[in-house]
Amino acid sequence: GDLVALGDVTQDGVDDFAVVRADDGDPDTDDEILIYRGTSARTGPALEATIKGNFGSLFGNSFNLRLAGDVDG
């Protein structure tokens, strides 16, 4: 899947990132966007949110995440 930097979406001073994962064969058949909270801790990043959907059917069986820049000014 794709990996994209999101900037600091959790507003904790550390940049976050997302991973796109196509249907992994589990029963729900959904694609997933996994949003991780960035950290400098030795434990590594933590999963903050999961967005599920059938994104492939919306975008011609292929979709990518792209950095949007400063969307809130």
Side-chain angles (χ1 to χ4, degrees), residues 8-50:
D8 184 16
V9 297
T10 57
Q11 299 180 340
D12 62 358
V14 181
D15 286 345
D16 308 308
F17 64 95
V19 175
V20 175
R21 184 167 59 185
D23 175 28
D24 56 4
D26 62 359
D28 68 18
T29 69
D30 285 336
D31 303 316
E32 298 175 329
I33 299 173
L34 307 170
I35 300 174
Y36 287 88
R37 176 184 293 264
T39 182
S40 59
R42 295 182 72 171
T43 57
L47 182 62
E48 183 72 17
T50 301

Side-chain angles (χ1 to χ4, degrees), residues 2 20 62-66:
D2 286 347
V20 175
S62 177
F63 66 97
N64 299 296
L65 287 179
R66 298 284 184 250

